[in-house]
Amino acid sequence: MSTEFNPEVVKQQIIDFMTGFTIETTPGSALKTPDYRVHLRPGTEIAVTFLPGSDFADTVSTSKRLKDEGFIPLPHFAARSIRSHNNFEEYLKTLQGEVGIEHAVALGGAVDKPLGEFESSMQLMETGLFDKYGIKSIGVAGHPEGSPDINEAGLREAIAWKNAFKEQTDAYMYIATQFCFEAEPIIAWDKKIQAEGNKLPIHLGVPGLATLKTLMNHAKACGIGSSMRVLTRQAKNIAKLMTVNAPDKLVMDLARYHAEDPNCGIKKVHMYPLGGMKKSAAWSYAVTDGDFTVDPKGKGFKVNRDIG
């Protein structure tokens, strides 16, 4: 990134980087959300997370509701929670029949022991069913800070496999990542996997507005690595644990990298509303609308509107 810091230039970089952000929800959150249109604008892409022990019928009903409210659902397919090839096909057939989807996210899933014949998202893709049922984009997992379940060699092999598979499908493929808290290790990871041959665009996870305590609990549960040091430094001040944190410094640093490095592989922001949809969505729209002020010393930015 360039050393010169121009707040107005950086502000536009941030707007460009956040525009078109995606966000996610769960069927459980959907039950507590009377109308997503209160928080999100029409046409927003919303991932529907599949949690261990969930019923896929809930994914279908949540996806249908999102579509009916004017959004684009991105249902998750968690390989280790799918019992068989026939079940997988039935899920896709039902989603197409009841909802009509074009997008999917294929993940291994946070289950220690597979419930059936699938152990990885790669096995789901090998069935050819995503193409058969007209899926036009597939998100696949990337792990900027490693994975507690897969070693470095395994992660490297998975990225290579997914790049090779891209040549066998008509779908747009991208890497969807877990959320992170600091730009530096993420930028290093992007450059590393590019050097190893990655050409898939990255949709990078960004944590939404939440208290420091909530962020730390989510980070520990998800195995977040070196970027968590930003939180642990703040947590030394106990009084800050219940302070709501915004990802402004992270977004600013990534936006500058996105704008200034022509080889940047990060193409989109995916918001994780860890502290609730209302605050994260309001903050994100304040940013895309340009309703924020950049710190002249480059320490981040503050939105100007009340986000509740």
Side-chain angles (χ1 to χ4, degrees):
M1 291 187 289
S2 68
T3 54
E4 183 182 349
F5 189 86
N6 182 320
E8 285 306 309
V9 170
V10 171
K11 181 173 184 175
Q12 189 59 51
Q13 291 173 347
I14 293 167
I15 294 169
D16 293 343
F17 184 58
M18 280 291 296
T19 296
F21 71 89
T22 60
I23 200 163
E24 70 178 54
T25 192
T26 65
S29 295
L31 294 175
K32 304 170 190 173
T33 308
D35 192 334
Y36 280 95
R37 289 169 291 192
V38 172
H39 307 300
L40 298 166
R41 295 174 183 173
T44 301
E45 295 181 359
I46 307 176
V48 182
T49 305
F50 188 93
L51 300 174
S54 298
D55 186 333
F56 198 78
D58 295 333
T59 297
V60 176
S61 62
T62 303
S63 297
K64 184 176 190 311
R65 181 185 153 191
L66 291 172
K67 183 87 175 283
D68 290 345
E69 289 183 7
F71 303 105
I72 301 170
L74 315 175
H76 281 198
F77 291 84
R80 297 186 194 105
S81 292
I82 298 175
R83 295 187 180 277
S84 68
H85 183 286
N86 287 342
N87 283 141
F88 179 35
E89 182 157 20
E90 191 60 35
Y91 294 161
L92 279 164
K93 187 184 295 184
T94 302
L95 272 168
Q96 287 299 41
E98 296 189 21
V99 184
I101 60 165
E102 296 183 345
H103 312 279
V105 181
L107 306 168
V111 176
D112 292 334
K113 185 178 180 182
L115 301 186
E117 62 190 79
F118 299 113
E119 293 188 8
S120 73
S121 61
M122 294 176 282
Q123 290 173 314
L124 293 182
M125 291 187 285
E126 282 181 318
T127 65
L129 290 174
F130 284 127
D131 278 338
K132 178 179 178 179
Y133 284 91
I135 300 301
K136 293 182 180 177
S137 80
I138 305 172
V140 294
H143 303 275
E145 302 185 73
S147 166
D149 306 315
I150 313 169
N151 62 28
E152 263 308 308
L155 292 174
R156 192 162 51 247
E157 289 166 9
I159 292 288
W161 188 96
K162 291 164 185 175
N163 273 269
F165 184 79
K166 173 63 189 80
E167 304 305 316
Q168 303 171 38
T169 178
D170 294 330
Y172 165 80
M173 281 180 62
Y174 63 92
I175 293 173
T177 81
Q178 190 51 274
F179 56 88
C180 56
F181 299 102
E182 188 176 30
E184 187 179 343
I186 308 310
I187 294 170
W189 171 74
D190 176 30
K191 292 180 177 180
K192 174 176 171 288
I193 63 172
Q194 283 193 57
E196 294 167 351
N198 178 61
K199 297 192 183 312
L200 298 179
I202 297 166
H203 294 192
L204 191 81
V206 168
L209 274 69
T211 64
L212 187 58
K213 183 177 179 181
T214 296
L215 292 174
M216 290 190 73
N217 287 340
H218 278 287
K220 288 173 183 174
C222 298
I224 303 300
S226 57
S227 79
M228 190 177 166
R229 64 192 176 191
V230 171
L231 299 187
T232 54
R233 284 198 297 266
Q234 294 181 60
K236 290 176 183 177
N237 182 345
I238 302 299
K240 286 188 174 181
L241 281 178
M242 299 311 293
T243 301
V244 173
N245 278 43
D248 52 290
K249 182 65 164 64
L250 169 68
V251 167
M252 185 185 75
D253 290 345
L254 291 173
R256 295 187 70 197
Y257 171 54
H258 174 260
E260 296 172 8
D261 189 327
N263 297 315
C264 173
I266 301 168
K267 303 302 179 187
K268 186 170 280 207
V269 169
H270 178 69
M271 295 296 296
Y272 285 84
L274 304 178
M277 178 71 75
K278 181 181 177 181
K279 277 184 171 26
S280 292
W283 183 88
S284 298
Y285 287 124
V287 177
T288 60
D289 292 345
D291 193 7
F292 63 95
T293 303
V294 176
D295 180 88
K297 296 181 180 178
K299 294 181 179 180
F301 59 88
K302 298 284 186 188
V303 300
N304 299 327
R305 66 181 65 161
D306 180 10
I307 58 172

